[in-house]
Amino acid sequence: MSPFRSVVFLSGGVGGARLLHGMAQVLPSEALTAIVNTGDDFEHWGLSVSPDLDTVMYTLSGLADESRGWGLLDESFRARSLMERYGGPSWFALGDQDLATHITRTQALRDGTSLTAVTARLCKAVGVRQQILPMCDQPRRTIIDTFEYGSLPFQEWLVKYRAPSVQAVRFVGANGATSAVHHAIERADLIVLGPSNPYVSIDPIITLSGVRERLAQKCVVALSPIVAGRAVKGPLADMVRTLSGLEASPQAIAAHYRGLVRGMVVEHGDAEALSHLPMHETSTIMGGAADRARLAREVLAFAERLQ
Amino acid sequence: MSPFRSVVFLSGGVGGARLLHGMAQVLPSEALTAIVNTGDDFEHWGLSVSPDLDTVMYTLSGLADESRGWGLLDESFRARSLMERYGGPSWFALGDQDLATHITRTQALRDGTSLTAVTARLCKAVGVRQQILPMCDQPRRTIIDTFEYGSLPFQEWLVKYRAPSVQAVRFVGANGATSAVHHAIERADLIVLGPSNPYVSIDPIITLSGVRERLAQKCVVALSPIVAGRAVKGPLADMVRTLSGLEASPQAIAAHYRGLVRGMVVEHGDAEALSHLPMHETSTIMGGAADRARLAREVLAFAERLQ
């Protein structure tokens, strides 16, 4: 039994979604709330796409294609083929089933429903019982300034241009979290920063007006997305070196979260003495459901010891 | 060789599209323009759907599923299954590939492209070389007043409520044809009214401001959609009886088009002496491509004799 009655989990896409899936297995559903990055959201084919929200929803519902790393299990891409024939952009793949999610969201937003409300509706429909909150209801977009291609919206940077070297990361648009986000943080007795990219998955959330200050009053633990000097997934290691001037390491992540986190969970062998922060060493690269639950239990036990 | 250099074909969905397919086989592509009913257009899942334009485009490109009578060959309906799970309306089926058409159209219209321009782009992409013109660029909607369910938008009447008895047919919204439609009629030396429902497929076009007057100056021939007292497809026979007070027959169709058409093509045995209009009797129920081309040739030869 976890001593925590209200855990708030900050998440980006795949890595965050997997540990969240572990948390969902070991906590009562009413004790777990996810606050999900929407800085990657964009319009594609005229549809409102929320990659991280969808990855979280699909992962928690068991519908995710985990071997591909995005989208739905047993997906097809027949609409995309005809879109290509029509000359539509095909650099970002939307699957046929996946389109139902984007179409439903787009229509709801156009009808004046909030992103928070339509996310709740979609999650409920696929059996996700935890509260999944977008970080904000208004567009707040992550912009990547690159040396080579200028300023790019996040998905173009990541998918279309395949993550060229980063000069700076900026967030444009709304900077207010939803009241649901503020309330969730207010009543939380533990905050977990998922093993997501700090710059482009967690920062968009914690730089929202008033959020970092509220979080800092709580017990916050973070998972290191850097393992043995490398990012588990994506271009993070390169970003750490460029943006912080430090080697890619859990210590660089700890430095980034300085003043915010009380402890970090890192890979075996990664807790060097450089940091004054309490660290828990374990196997952080998650396999299937049982392994995710195991890591979630270790994170909760570590957080309990910190209190 | 047809003596006609510019044939304008007025079309609804399936029946019209099939004869148009025949015309496309026997006329040079630059000699054939279709003006297509858009009164059935509607929004579904937030997407702009144009059923008759799509049936025409899919039929001419060879992509239509002709045995089902709508949509694309080898279609799947996976998005629809997830839409149903999300609680979305499922009374009208949009196929996975078909979604690419509606998504492209919706996005283009939202970006300020005209329906005429996006239709041209879609048709070109799938290899349709004839000019396919929506009857107008602004929404003009066919409303069916029913005894039982009140006033219904066309697709709800036809698909959702399965064509309950009709009290009246009305058109609401724009009443101006596009300039492309006016120009096509202006330069036409033959107008063919396809074997479509006069009340809900052809009337929406010919009741556009100025269109009937312009058509009446041309050589206009019509195909009877009534064969041996029955509609080839759909609820037409019942509509004829209710709306005209006449028995369902080619003569009732001729009466409806009185003052507009110079001749009609009807099924073997249907050219009774009641009408003073020149009629050509033949087999009007079309099979495959060759049969459609055969009927098209007969229509053109009949029209030539009328001149």
Side-chain angles (χ1 to χ4, degrees):
Chain A
M1 273 296 288
S2 154
F4 301 107
R5 283 176 309 167
S6 191
V7 176
V8 164
F9 189 103
L10 273 54
S11 184
V14 179
R18 288 182 181 173
L19 181 55
L20 185 62
H21 184 211
M23 292 283 174
Q25 294 174 68
V26 303
L27 289 168
S29 55
E30 69 278 8
L32 180 59
T33 295
I35 299 173
V36 181
N37 171 41
T38 58
D40 308 0
D41 290 13
F42 71 125
E43 252 203 22
H44 194 60
W45 303 351
L47 300 173
S48 299
V49 180
S50 297
D52 287 354
L53 281 172
D54 291 345
T55 296
V56 163
M57 178 173 80
Y58 294 159
T59 302
L60 289 189
S61 62
L63 296 174
D65 187 325
E66 306 229 349
S67 62
R68 191 175 52 218
W70 53 269
L72 287 155
L73 263 179
D74 186 31
E75 184 58 291
S76 52
F77 294 90
R78 309 186 72 211
R80 187 198 192 195
S81 300
L82 191 50
M83 284 300 295
E84 282 188 56
R85 195 158 166 186
Y86 288 145
S90 62
W91 59 270
F92 194 91
L94 299 179
D96 295 332
Q97 300 176 87
D98 193 32
L99 278 173
T101 304
H102 311 308
I103 288 171
T104 302
R105 177 190 296 119
T106 303
Q107 195 177 9
L109 294 177
R110 289 230 165 87
D111 290 348
T113 304
S114 69
L115 183 59
T116 297
V118 68
T119 300
R121 179 180 141 205
L122 293 169
C123 284
K124 188 179 175 191
V126 295
V128 173
R129 295 185 315 278
Q130 293 77 20
Q131 188 175 37
I132 309 299
L133 298 175
M135 66 184 198
C136 55
D137 276 337
Q138 303 306 321
R140 171 176 175 83
R141 299 288 173 258
T142 300
I143 303 293
I144 310 289
D145 297 327
T146 68
F147 294 100
E148 206 173 347
Y149 302 100
S151 298
L152 299 172
F154 182 81
Q155 292 296 339
E156 288 196 35
W157 170 74
L158 181 68
V159 180
K160 192 171 180 180
Y161 290 87
R162 293 162 191 260
S165 203
V166 174
Q167 190 170 12
V169 175
R170 293 179 290 129
F171 310 113
V172 300
N175 73 348
T178 64
S179 58
V181 162
H182 285 305
H183 288 146
I185 295 171
E186 204 58 53
R187 66 169 185 271
D189 48 16
L190 174 64
I191 309 285
V192 178
L193 309 187
S196 302
N197 184 314
Y199 305 105
V200 297
S201 297
I202 303 297
D203 277 2
I205 308 174
I206 65 181
T207 57
L208 286 164
S209 177
V211 167
R212 192 185 165 100
E213 296 76 356
R214 279 188 171 81
L215 289 174
Q217 295 166 12
K218 303 283 178 174
C219 177
V220 181
V221 299
L223 278 282
S224 173
I226 293 284
V227 166
R230 295 191 310 159
V232 175
K233 183 172 178 294
L236 172 61
D238 190 49
M239 293 178 81
V240 171
R241 284 185 288 268
T242 315
L243 296 175
S244 75
L246 301 172
E247 278 309 297
S249 67
Q251 285 69 38
I253 305 297
H256 187 79
Y257 289 143
R258 191 186 306 273
L260 181 63
V261 306
R262 301 202 190 160
M264 277 187 68
V265 177
V266 301
E267 184 63 33
H268 286 300
D270 270 354
E272 290 171 32
L274 283 170
S275 174
H276 52 283
L277 204 67
M279 294 220 182
H280 172 67
E281 276 194 348
T282 184
S283 170
T284 60
I285 300 183
M286 289 166 278
D291 199 36
R292 297 168 190 185
R294 185 266 314 155
L295 182 57
R297 271 188 217 98
E298 288 193 46
V299 171
L300 294 173
F302 171 59
E304 195 177 350
R305 291 196 301 275
L306 287 178
Q307 290 194 306
Chain B
M1 272 297 288
S2 154
F4 301 107
R5 284 176 309 166
S6 190
V7 175
V8 164
F9 189 103
L10 272 54
S11 184
V14 179
R18 288 182 181 175
L19 181 55
L20 184 62
H21 183 210
M23 292 283 174
Q25 294 174 69
V26 304
L27 289 168
S29 56
E30 68 278 8
L32 180 58
T33 295
I35 299 174
V36 181
N37 171 42
T38 58
D40 308 0
D41 291 12
F42 71 125
E43 251 203 22
H44 194 59
W45 302 351
L47 300 172
S48 298
V49 181
S50 296
D52 287 353
L53 281 172
D54 291 344
T55 296
V56 163
M57 177 173 80
Y58 294 159
T59 301
L60 289 189
S61 62
L63 296 174
D65 186 326
E66 305 228 348
S67 62
R68 192 175 52 217
W70 53 269
L72 287 156
L73 264 178
D74 186 30
E75 183 59 290
S76 53
F77 295 90
R78 309 186 73 211
R80 186 198 193 194
S81 300
L82 190 50
M83 284 299 295
E84 283 188 55
R85 195 158 165 187
Y86 288 145
S90 61
W91 59 270
F92 194 91
L94 299 179
D96 294 332
Q97 299 176 88
D98 193 31
L99 279 173
T101 304
H102 311 307
I103 288 171
T104 301
R105 177 189 295 120
T106 303
Q107 195 177 10
L109 295 177
R110 289 230 165 87
D111 290 348
T113 304
S114 69
L115 183 58
T116 298
V118 68
T119 300
R121 178 180 143 205
L122 293 170
C123 284
K124 188 178 176 192
V126 294
V128 174
R129 295 185 315 276
Q130 294 75 19
Q131 187 176 38
I132 309 299
L133 298 175
M135 66 184 198
C136 55
D137 276 336
Q138 302 307 321
R140 171 175 175 83
R141 298 289 173 258
T142 300
I143 302 294
I144 310 289
D145 297 327
T146 68
F147 294 100
E148 206 173 347
Y149 302 99
S151 298
L152 299 172
F154 182 82
Q155 292 296 340
E156 287 196 36
W157 169 73
L158 181 68
V159 180
K160 191 171 180 179
Y161 290 89
R162 293 161 191 262
S165 203
V166 174
Q167 190 171 11
V169 176
R170 294 179 290 129
F171 310 114
V172 300
N175 72 348
T178 63
S179 58
V181 162
H182 286 305
H183 288 146
I185 294 172
E186 204 58 52
R187 67 169 185 270
D189 48 16
L190 174 64
I191 308 287
V192 178
L193 309 186
S196 301
N197 185 314
Y199 304 105
V200 297
S201 296
I202 303 298
D203 277 1
I205 308 175
I206 65 181
T207 57
L208 286 163
S209 177
V211 167
R212 192 186 166 101
E213 295 77 356
R214 278 187 172 82
L215 289 174
Q217 295 165 13
K218 302 285 177 173
C219 176
V220 180
V221 298
L223 278 281
S224 173
I226 293 284
V227 167
R230 294 191 310 158
V232 175
K233 183 172 177 293
L236 173 61
D238 190 49
M239 293 178 81
V240 171
R241 285 184 288 268
T242 315
L243 296 175
S244 75
L246 301 172
E247 279 309 297
S249 68
Q251 286 68 39
I253 305 297
H256 187 80
Y257 289 143
R258 190 186 306 274
L260 180 63
V261 306
R262 300 204 191 158
M264 277 187 67
V265 177
V266 301
E267 183 62 33
H268 285 301
D270 269 356
E272 290 171 32
L274 284 170
S275 173
H276 52 283
L277 203 67
M279 294 219 181
H280 172 67
E281 278 196 346
T282 184
S283 171
T284 59
I285 299 183
M286 289 165 279
D291 200 35
R292 297 168 190 184
R294 185 265 314 156
L295 183 57
R297 271 188 217 98
E298 288 193 46
V299 171
L300 294 172
F302 172 59
E304 195 176 351
R305 292 196 301 276
L306 288 178
Q307 289 194 308

